[in-house]
Amino acid sequence: MDLNSASSVVLQVLTQATSQDTAVLKPAEEQLKQWETQPGFYSVLLNIFTNHTLDVNVRWLAVLYFKNGIDRYWRRVAPHALSEEEKSTLRAGLITNFNEPINQIATQIAVLIAKVARLDCPRQWPELIPTLIESVKVQDDLRQHRALLTFYHVTKTLASKRLAADRKLFYDLASGIYNFACSLWNHHTDTFLQQVSSGNEAVVLNSLERTLLSLKVLRKLTVNGFVEPHKNMEVMGFLHGIFDRLKQFLDCSRSIGTDNVCRDRLEKTIILFTKVLLDFLDQHPFSFTPLIQRSLEFSVSYVFTEVGEGVTFERFIVQCMNLIKMIVKNYAYKPSKNFEDSSPETLEAHKIKMAFFTYPTLTEICRRLVSHYFLLTEEELTMWEEDPEGFTVEETGGDSWKYSLRPCTEVLFIDIFHEYNQTLTPVLLEMMQTLQGPTNVEDMNALLIKDAVYNAVGLAAYELFDSVDFDQWFKNQLLPELQVIHNRYKPLRRRVIWLIGQWISVKFKSDLRPMLYEAICNLLRDQDLVVRIETATTLKLTVDDFEFRTDQFLPYLETMFTLLFQLLQQVTECDTKMHVLHVLSCVIERVNVQIRPYVGCLVQYLPLLWKQSEEHNMLRCAILTTLIHLVQGLGADSKNLYPFLLPVIQLSTDVSQPPHVYLLEDGLELWLVTLENSPCITPELLRIFQNMSPLLEQSSENLRTCFKIINGYIFLSSTEFLQTYAVGLCQSFCELLRDITTEGQVQVLKVVENALKVNPVLGPQMFQPILPCVFRGIIEGERYPVVMSTYLGVMGRVLLQNTSFFSSLLTEMAHKFNQEMDQLLGNMIEMWVDRMDNITQPERRKLSALALLSLLPSDNSVIQDKFCGIINISVEGLHDVMTEDPETGTYKDCMLMSHLEEPKATEDEEPPTEQDKRKKVLALKDPVHTVSLQQFTYEKLKAQQELLGEQGFQSLMETVDTEIVTQLQEFLQGF
């Protein structure tokens, strides 16, 4: 592409590509895509985006196309890679001028230079770093800023490389430029501190921006640029100096307004200082040891004393708390139980920690956390009143504890209390003692203090196990507090029920549960929504607990379920509805079939909620989970839900529908439990299986559930299902078997095995294309035992239950192998006998014995030749299944089942599903469970004897080992 002639053409097409008119936009994008691989295209783009007279949107687009081209075509091995000559020209052009006037474009140029540096610096681009260093020294404000911006992005990118050779190059780079980077940062920092009181916001902001960028560079060099940074005086000097600089910047915040750009940049710089310390501690804990004392002193003084008043802000407090937490919890600073086994570095760090965390310091931190940071703020109380659901979501904290003050203070409290529980337990117990008895509802401060202390007792529940008689406290103090119905007491009602939830799995007598359930019922009627939502949470923790007893819960089930349903209807936020649904699901799951009388209202409401949640996929996931537990609880009665249930499954498992990304996993689980609890097949339930073929093509982590669903259809209605879907299913299976894991192959073959077991006539016909693969696997001695075992299970079913099909299969395989049928049959029997030990399941081992015995009686010389092996397998099978009756001394087949065997489910066991019942019926028709191996062996040997005559049969028996014959005779006594 000639630069002179092409520039105007490319510029015109780029201009068209910025159009809002798709008729203009689409052809332009197609043309640009074609030019991506043309030599000279990126040189034209460079000329365009560095020409400041052109339209900003066109230049922006040119930068983006250039950046994408680096990803695709810059590497030497890439298809259509750029020539070395053009890359050299581009590299030179990129760092000729750092004078881009538009901030967004300047950032993109810095990023693309960093992308090139990642691939070429320093080997192919040795001049990059020296050029940047020279450019950040210039006096021109714009050039200096753009060079510094590029310097940061290049440093950040090079620091992220992880190969050993790349790390070595970055270490060399860091050593070479660290001194300069420190000087640069100090220069810009000093300039800012001199200008901050000038009142000229533009000048201050300009200077602060350079301070921030140079600090970003130093952060990457400090954290990633040295193997042993504590041995570098410049690095440690910079880190030690951070605390003084932080104090200077915090003091500056007094003279900068609270609501302007400067304030925002200043706070970002202060946070960046703390990030340097946190990152360094994370990457180099032992190099951080000399900084432990100063870090703790600084953080504790600003967070827990008057020093921080008026200068700290929430994000800074969070960072300081994270720094304390990381030092307290750091594994590198914890000595072994045997101190002598610990490294000197660990002992030194531990010594510094212990010297700092004295009794007075720990006591003050604990008291300040509880009495200051745990207190509900005016803002939180206002939110409670104005947006109760929003308040409950905020209170959960979630994954945001690093960035939100309340969750962060709670995590710090938990970590410090765990580490120093012997010191802090008496402190917290003393705080509890001062709060005995009811609190005056007019004294809001006293109510909030008690709320904070109860919060601490809940968070420290595990640590306080031996120190608090919670059962007595519950009866004498907490229960009466739950009965105070005054509106101003609602923070304590909420906190007390939360506190009980924290202790329920720690220390709570089972006998007290009915009293708690009574209290929960009352609180679910509370006038305050936040109290009701918190009560629902505690209810979930209660029913989830290991010591939960259904009999204690049932008297309260109807009331609780009704009140929870009313709460579900009342709340409006998606997150809250999900939460309440989750509680309902847990209740349904724990009481199982006992829920049936009470679910009518929920069943009627869920279709409406599903319709309303069309734009809220996570709420729909919660509905799916609830439906799963509902179906399990309703059992066969779940068929009444099909008008709603089946369309939900259809949508959730249809990969052509966008919501499937969120709903598929739960949708498949619902599909499975629906099948397992279905009393009979319906046309609609059968029709949903059309969704399965694309799911099998995905070969995803959901395959196991898909196979269970297929098995569910086979158990439910094998004839209709196989006649409708077997051809497509077989095709999918054949494709899966070619490129699936060993475990996946076994899952496919188990489906085939189940089909043969359920429908011995239709099954082999429908899965006929797969059976040659199974036969071949046996003949060729499949090397994976678990696959071989399944092959033999499949072939055992065919041989035992559909002899005519086995004969036709043997004929087909003899033709394919170009062998005689008898020879092939002999090879199969020989391999079967040889690999019998691959089969570990007793049912399959008995099946193998029955299948091979079914070849008798026979005058076929090949079968007679393998007679010894068949008898060996039979005796092995008899050893597996025969148990001696102690009363009669006779043997019986332990796998035989009868209609009379109906084991009663214990109270803790879930009642059998409809599929469990179908499997029981199937087992009563299965030869493995209906045919006595002992009798079958006797009858087959008797028939063989009659066929050959006494002398011929004796000759055959002489081929069997005498020890095996003796064991066989013992098993066949009495026949």
Side-chain angles (χ1 to χ4, degrees), residues 144 233-234 573 865:
Q144 186 187 69
M233 290 179 61
E234 289 173 334
E573 293 293 326
D865 186 47

Side-chain angles (χ1 to χ4, degrees), residues 47 133 207 334 336 442 536 591 640 667 807 899:
N47 286 345
I133 289 174
S207 179
K334 292 186 178 180
S336 306
E442 302 301 326
V591 301
N640 299 327
S807 298
H899 294 272

Side-chain angles (χ1 to χ4, degrees), residues 117 278 494 959:
L278 286 164
R494 166 188 166 265
T959 64

Side-chain angles (χ1 to χ4, degrees), residues 87-102:
K87 286 198 291 187
S88 179
T89 305
L90 292 172
R91 283 193 294 261
L94 285 171
I95 56 175
T96 301
N97 288 303
F98 295 100
N99 59 352
E100 172 55 55
I102 307 298

Side-chain angles (χ1 to χ4, degrees), residues 58-69:
V58 172
R59 294 173 56 227
W60 170 262
L61 198 58
V63 171
L64 292 185
Y65 268 94
F66 193 107
K67 192 173 75 170
N68 292 337

Side-chain angles (χ1 to χ4, degrees), residues 531-770:
V531 173
R532 295 206 299 280
I533 292 170
E534 194 64 68
T535 303
T537 304
T538 294
L539 174 57
K540 176 189 172 299
L541 294 170
T542 306
V543 299
D544 272 349
D545 184 52
F546 181 72
E547 293 189 9
F548 173 81
R549 279 171 42 193
T550 309
D551 61 313
Q552 289 181 321
F553 187 73
L554 286 178
Y556 307 92
L557 174 59
E558 182 177 6
T559 303
M560 284 193 192
F561 198 83
T562 303
L563 292 169
L564 281 172
F565 175 65
Q566 290 172 2
L567 180 60
L568 176 65
Q569 289 178 299
Q570 182 183 356
V571 297
T572 57
E573 293 293 326
C574 181
D575 285 341
T576 326
K577 281 191 179 290
M578 284 168 56
H579 178 61
V580 179
L581 268 175
H582 191 46
V583 178
L584 280 163
S585 295
C586 290
V587 171
I588 295 168
E589 184 180 17
R590 290 313 297 260
V591 301
N592 206 283
V593 297
Q594 308 277 4
I595 200 66
R596 291 178 184 178
Y598 315 116
V599 294
C601 55
L602 181 63
V603 166
Q604 290 175 355
Y605 176 65
L606 284 178
L608 174 63
L609 185 58
W610 180 265
K611 192 171 188 302
Q612 292 172 342
S613 61
E614 191 169 355
E615 302 300 318
H616 302 283
N617 286 311
M618 298 314 292
L619 177 53
R620 285 194 157 185
C621 286
I623 296 171
L624 288 172
T625 303
T626 305
L627 284 171
I628 289 167
H629 296 307
L630 260 178
V631 169
Q632 289 170 327
L634 290 171
D637 291 345
S638 61
K639 188 181 177 186
N640 299 327
L641 299 181
Y642 283 7
F644 167 55
L645 197 61
L646 300 186
V648 166
I649 297 171
Q650 166 71 39
L651 174 70
S652 305
T653 60
D654 184 350
V655 297
S656 68
Q657 298 289 334
H660 90 273
V661 175
Y662 303 94
L663 307 179
L664 180 59
E665 188 173 345
D666 292 319
L668 287 171
E669 190 64 32
L670 178 59
W671 191 356
L672 176 60
V673 299
T674 300
L675 285 168
E676 288 174 342
N677 290 278
S678 177
C680 59
I681 196 73
T682 68
E684 295 79 14
L685 186 55
L686 190 62
R687 197 176 302 124
I688 296 176
F689 195 80
Q690 293 170 359
N691 283 3
M692 184 58 70
S693 183
L695 289 167
L696 294 176
E697 289 171 13
Q698 285 187 340
S699 295
S700 68
E701 64 276 6
N702 294 310
L703 270 180
R704 185 182 289 272
T705 309
C706 290
F707 290 135
K708 288 180 180 178
I709 289 168
I710 298 166
N711 281 324
Y713 275 104
I714 289 170
F715 290 127
L716 180 59
S717 180
S718 64
T719 302
E720 283 182 84
F721 173 67
L722 291 175
Q723 286 176 340
T724 309
Y725 292 110
V727 174
L729 190 60
C730 198
Q731 186 177 346
S732 296
F733 280 1
C734 288
E735 290 170 7
L736 276 173
L737 287 169
R738 279 198 288 269
D739 59 359
I740 204 172
T741 62
T742 301
E743 185 183 357
Q745 289 179 26
V746 170
Q747 293 300 323
V748 170
L749 293 167
K750 279 183 177 177
V751 172
V752 177
E753 187 178 12
N754 282 328
L756 301 177
K757 184 195 301 185
V758 175
N759 203 320
V761 177
L762 193 57
Q765 296 171 18
M766 293 300 177
F767 288 106
Q768 191 276 332
I770 292 176

Side-chain angles (χ1 to χ4, degrees), residues 240 243 281 285-299 323 327-328 330 333 345-346 348-354 356-357:
H240 279 290
F243 302 102
L281 171 56
F286 289 128
S287 293
F288 192 87
T289 300
L291 300 163
I292 292 176
Q293 178 80 16
R294 190 77 191 277
S295 297
L296 291 172
E297 288 172 351
F298 179 87
S299 299
L323 188 57
I327 292 171
V328 168
N330 203 300
Y333 302 158
E345 294 85 356
T346 297
E348 182 187 356
H350 178 68
K351 182 180 176 183
I352 296 169
K353 271 174 56 181
M354 294 304 291
F356 178 82
F357 286 113

